[in-house]
Amino acid sequence: MQDRHWLIYSKIKYQIFCFCCKLFTRDKNSNQLATTGYSDWRNISKMLREHEKSHKHIICMTSWMELEVRLQKNLTIDKYVQEEINKEKSYWRDVLLRIIAVVKGLAKNNIAFHGLKNKIGQDGNGNFLGMIEVIVDFDLVMIEHVRRIEKVILDCTPDISYREHMSLIIRCVDISEISPKIEEFFMTFLVVNHKTGEGLFNTLQDVLVDLDLSIDDIRGQGYDNGSNMRGKHKGVQKRLLDINPRAAYTPCGCHSLNLALSDIASSSETTILFFGIFQRIYCLLFSSTNNAEVFRDIVNGITESRVNSVKAIRYQTPQIREALFYLEDNSDNPKTRSEAESLAMSDIHGIGNFEFLFGMVIWYELLFAVIAISQVQGLVSFLKIFRETGFQEAKKEAERIAIDMKINHGFSVKPKRASRKKRHHDEEPENHEGSVILTAKEHFRVDYFIKILDQSLVSLETKFDQLQNNEKTFGFLFDLQKLKSAKDDSLMTSCANLEAYLKYGVHSDIDGNDLFMELKLLKNVLPKEINKQLEVLDFLKKMERCYPNTWIAYRIMMTIPVSVATAGKRFSKLKLIKSYLRSSMSQERAMIKELDYTYLIDEFASKTARRAIFQN
């Protein structure tokens, strides 16, 4: 086949042209290939054979080849002009590199740009122009640039704005490199005007269209556990599943655990009172530097950080009470003295009662188990065992602490305020004669201990039920030991379930029978040193895709998110960037780090260089 590299096609006119004749012909009566284009497709072969043998085409082709040689050797008629353009382009590139470096440095440290004046050389011209003046003192490029320019105009920002933002992260398996990698790419911040599930989903659809991404290609979705996101009937995940049932939803594991702990902490009035006392202790501790110094001298390692806040009081309750007594006797602030006395001595609102010590031991065991046990099933098993045996063990430890603190280690009987229930005129009053009256110990066990343990089990099961469903679908691929030891019947069932899960209409991402045969072979040839899913992907890629269904299944599984921590990190950066000094900063200005400015520098330098040369 002959290579006619001079032949080009116009997508706009739907016609073909001869490139060299279009550029170099001087004859207005030339054929259509050199003028208006040719589109007679039936006679195209005859036309091309005649044209490439014509005298005019050979002359234009020769001129084209001569120009190509001259361009390669830099011997064109505009040689000196081109040299000046290249020098000017290099100059503007160097200038922009220095200016962008200053902009990134100021933005990284959250420093304001503008000042009272907007000219170089004037006092109070701000951090940006001030840094330019510093560079000018020793950099020849900026010396020349400052000699040319007259003024720099900077943007100003109004006062703080209250706008809801949504962070969009795209998670994928990058197979472009030698070894596959799981990547999470930050795409954009979205200003949310409607916070309902429908409004958020419409915003998501619009941005996917803008990014030229198809909603049918989504195989996983992850959000925080807000009801407008995770709602089973009107949430974002449900609306997305209605369009694409293969977009597996996974609630954020971190948010789920936090919400579960929040439900537990608010399950009982005694629990709410318990954490209220904790909050008062730390508020008193950090209300002044003098109070903090007293606590540091008496208590070791006290901190507000999560489980460590409970740990400090759990193991140093006598020392904390001693610090409270010291503040009561020596503080000059009447409010501090009153608060310290209440926390040290009150039987209800302080640490000097046995129920507080008992609850402190219980809660430390729960929080420590949450931190130490990484698997949900293991945590549930621990809670079930702790529900049966933990009360007596915690009671013994609380009694030991109470004896060390020299306080009564018995349960106090608190008179319960009688509740008044509104009754209709024909309704008889309630009869309490047959009700069971519990002892103080049993009341604490039933109303506090059993209640928070039951709430723990219910919250964990409801918050993580979707994760359990995903584990049933993809678990046989995730656990390599389980895969290698799986029997054929069980493996075939798992493959069939996965095919059904990834099927929408007549289209399916995998074939269950082929996946079963591939996995039977794979589990026998997979090297023993491979223990992670990414290593399996790497192995499959090196095998030149001998296992196509397995390759797809593992990529989909690794695409499903487990946490939305990446989006949370972006919001942390957004809070640093959009301070009250620059509250109306737009998306484009906020994305300095993500900006690929190399192309912009080259484009700007090229255009500015040509304008500067031809103006002179």
Side-chain angles (χ1 to χ4, degrees):
M1 181 180 292
Q2 187 177 0
D3 184 14
R4 298 185 174 101
H5 60 279
W6 47 266
L7 189 64
I8 58 175
Y9 173 75
S10 172
K11 293 182 179 180
I12 298 177
K13 294 187 175 182
Y14 303 103
Q15 293 176 332
I16 59 173
F17 294 85
C18 175
F19 179 73
C20 58
C21 293
K22 184 72 174 175
L23 288 181
F24 295 102
T25 187
R26 297 181 180 179
D27 188 358
K28 297 182 180 179
N29 297 322
S30 299
N31 60 26
Q32 291 177 309
L33 286 173
T35 54
T36 59
Y38 190 81
S39 60
D40 186 3
W41 308 115
R42 291 184 178 181
N43 301 314
I44 188 69
S45 298
K46 179 181 178 181
M47 179 66 177
L48 292 178
R49 284 194 299 268
E50 292 177 355
H51 177 76
E52 64 186 355
K53 295 179 181 179
S54 65
H55 179 67
K56 294 180 181 179
H57 174 75
I58 294 174
I59 292 177
C60 293
M61 192 72 180
T62 304
S63 300
W64 183 26
M65 299 305 294
E66 289 179 356
L67 177 62
E68 185 177 5
V69 173
R70 286 178 176 273
L71 287 173
Q72 292 175 353
K73 296 182 178 181
N74 196 19
L75 295 175
T76 55
I77 192 173
D78 62 341
K79 171 184 177 181
Y80 298 104
V81 176
Q82 192 64 40
E83 288 179 354
E84 291 298 321
I85 290 176
N86 291 336
K87 289 180 181 179
E88 194 71 13
K89 180 179 178 181
S90 178
Y91 159 76
W92 281 107
R93 178 179 175 83
D94 292 338
V95 169
L96 284 178
L97 282 174
R98 288 157 174 79
I99 291 177
I100 289 176
V102 173
V103 171
K104 290 178 66 178
L106 295 175
K108 179 181 179 181
N109 293 282
N110 200 27
I111 300 174
F113 281 56
H114 64 277
L116 300 176
K117 304 292 179 62
N118 60 1
K119 288 186 177 182
I120 290 180
Q122 294 181 342
D123 294 335
N125 55 8
N127 295 305
F128 175 74
L129 294 181
M131 290 296 295
I132 297 297
E133 291 175 353
V134 172
I135 298 176
V136 167
D137 290 339
F138 61 87
D139 187 80
L140 296 177
V141 174
M142 294 306 294
I143 291 175
E144 173 65 15
H145 182 62
V146 171
R147 185 185 64 82
R148 296 186 185 188
I149 64 175
E150 295 182 359
K151 64 181 180 179
V152 176
I153 301 176
L154 303 177
D155 292 334
C156 298
T157 56
D159 56 352
I160 192 167
S161 61
Y162 296 91
R163 291 185 178 181
E164 184 79 9
H165 285 78
M166 183 166 61
S167 177
L168 177 63
I169 307 293
I170 299 297
R171 178 185 171 97
C172 64
V173 178
D174 184 5
I175 59 175
S176 61
E177 304 292 337
I178 298 177
S179 298
K181 297 186 297 183
I182 300 175
E183 299 282 3
E184 291 187 350
F185 298 100
F186 169 71
M187 305 306 294
T188 183
F189 286 120
L190 305 175
V191 178
V192 177
N193 297 320
H194 303 284
K195 301 178 184 179
T196 62
E198 181 181 5
L200 294 174
F201 180 68
N202 291 336
T203 303
L204 176 61
Q205 278 187 306
D206 294 340
V207 74
L208 289 177
V209 172
D210 294 339
L211 295 173
D212 197 21
L213 297 174
S214 174
I215 201 170
D216 293 329
D217 294 335
I218 298 176
R219 292 297 179 269
Q221 51 175 327
Y223 317 105
D224 60 15
N225 272 1
S227 59
N228 53 356
M229 291 291 192
R230 66 177 175 85
K232 295 182 178 180
H233 303 289
K234 297 183 178 180
V236 175
Q237 64 96 9
K238 180 60 170 64
R239 296 177 185 273
L240 182 55
L241 286 174
D242 290 341
I243 298 177
N244 180 10
R246 293 176 288 184
Y249 165 64
T250 305
C252 175
C254 301
H255 283 85
S256 298
L257 192 57
N258 284 337
L259 288 174
L261 291 174
S262 178
D263 292 342
I264 301 168
S266 58
S267 61
S268 169
E269 294 182 1
T270 309
T271 308
I272 297 173
L273 180 61
F274 171 79
F275 282 105
I277 296 174
F278 260 83
Q279 185 67 28
R280 289 171 59 205
I281 292 175
Y282 281 98
C283 287
L284 179 64
L285 165 61
F286 295 104
S287 62
S288 70
T289 56
N290 293 332
N291 294 356
E293 191 66 30
V294 170
F295 275 88
R296 290 193 191 99
D297 292 340
I298 301 177
V299 183
N300 295 324
I302 191 165
T303 176
E304 289 182 294
S305 176
R306 301 176 180 85
V307 70
N308 290 330
S309 63
V310 182
K311 181 180 180 180
I313 301 179
R314 159 70 175 83
Y315 289 102
Q316 300 183 81
T317 311
Q319 291 87 335
I320 289 178
R321 198 181 190 207
E322 180 183 349
L324 293 173
F325 282 138
Y326 181 87
L327 290 176
E328 177 192 357
D329 296 334
N330 299 281
S331 177
D332 296 330
N333 189 331
K335 182 179 178 180
T336 299
R337 297 180 65 176
S338 175
E339 185 72 1
E341 180 184 7
S342 175
L343 287 170
M345 299 296 295
S346 176
D347 292 336
I348 300 176
H349 303 291
I351 66 174
N353 69 86
F354 183 67
E355 285 84 352
F356 175 83
L357 301 179
F358 204 159
M360 178 183 63
V361 174
I362 294 171
W363 269 103
Y364 180 72
E365 293 291 335
L366 292 178
L367 295 176
F368 185 81
V370 170
I371 299 297
I373 303 175
S374 58
Q375 296 183 349
V376 177
Q377 290 296 337
L379 184 58
V380 171
S381 299
F382 166 81
L383 293 175
K384 289 181 178 179
I385 296 173
F386 189 70
R387 185 182 185 275
E388 300 300 327
T389 63
F391 184 81
Q392 292 298 329
E393 296 175 358
K395 181 174 177 293
K396 292 179 181 179
E397 182 63 19
E399 289 175 347
R400 185 191 64 79
I401 299 174
I403 293 173
D404 293 340
M405 295 177 62
K406 299 179 180 180
I407 62 176
N408 181 22
H409 53 84
F411 293 93
S412 58
V413 180
K414 305 180 184 67
K416 185 176 180 180
R417 184 179 62 180
S419 59
R420 296 183 178 180
K421 182 180 178 181
K422 184 178 180 180
R423 298 194 306 270
H424 295 282
H425 67 280
D426 58 346
E427 185 178 359
E428 297 182 357
E430 295 181 0
N431 185 10
H432 298 282
E433 294 182 358
S435 60
V436 179
I437 301 177
L438 300 177
T439 63
K441 175 183 175 181
E442 283 299 310
H443 183 272
F444 184 86
R445 191 183 73 85
V446 173
D447 190 57
Y448 186 79
F449 180 79
I450 297 297
K451 197 170 186 177
I452 63 175
L453 266 298
D454 289 346
Q455 182 63 54
S456 302
L457 294 171
V458 172
S459 296
L460 288 175
E461 290 175 357
T462 55
K463 301 296 183 185
F464 290 92
D465 58 345
Q466 188 60 46
L467 289 176
Q468 299 298 325
N469 294 334
N470 291 342
E471 197 277 335
K472 293 178 182 178
T473 304
F474 295 95
F476 73 104
L477 297 176
F478 191 83
D479 191 342
L480 296 181
Q481 297 298 327
K482 185 177 180 181
L483 174 63
K484 293 179 180 179
S485 61
K487 296 182 179 179
D488 289 351
D489 293 341
S490 175
L491 186 60
M492 184 63 197
T493 302
S494 299
C495 293
N497 292 338
L498 184 59
E499 179 188 9
Y501 187 84
L502 297 176
K503 188 174 183 179
Y504 179 46
V506 296
H507 301 286
S508 180
D509 293 330
I510 62 169
D511 184 282
N513 294 325
D514 292 344
L515 177 63
F516 169 69
M517 298 302 298
E518 292 174 12
L519 290 176
K520 282 185 64 177
L521 296 175
L522 179 65
K523 66 180 183 178
N524 294 323
V525 301
L526 200 64
K528 295 182 180 179
E529 59 271 13
I530 292 181
N531 298 314
K532 298 180 180 179
Q533 292 73 35
L534 270 180
E535 295 174 350
V536 176
L537 273 178
D538 192 19
F539 175 80
L540 293 173
K541 186 175 183 180
K542 291 178 180 178
M543 294 298 293
E544 298 181 354
R545 302 188 181 182
C546 296
Y547 307 90
N549 290 275
T550 308
W551 170 252
I552 294 174
Y554 267 95
R555 286 169 58 192
I556 293 177
M557 181 188 69
M558 301 304 289
T559 302
I560 299 175
V562 179
S563 171
V564 296
T566 304
K569 293 178 181 178
R570 294 296 177 179
F571 281 127
S572 299
K573 294 298 182 182
L574 180 63
K575 290 180 180 179
L576 293 176
I577 295 171
K578 294 195 68 172
S579 63
Y580 72 97
L581 291 176
R582 48 181 77 91
S583 58
S584 65
M585 181 181 292
S586 65
Q587 168 78 6
E588 289 76 14
R589 284 189 61 200
M591 298 284 289
I592 293 176
K593 186 175 180 181
E594 306 295 332
L595 181 66
D596 182 11
Y597 55 84
T598 304
Y599 170 77
L600 298 178
I601 289 177
D602 291 339
E603 187 73 12
F604 175 81
S606 178
K607 292 182 179 179
T608 307
R610 289 180 176 273
R611 185 172 65 249
I613 293 298
F614 292 114
Q615 283 179 350
N616 295 332

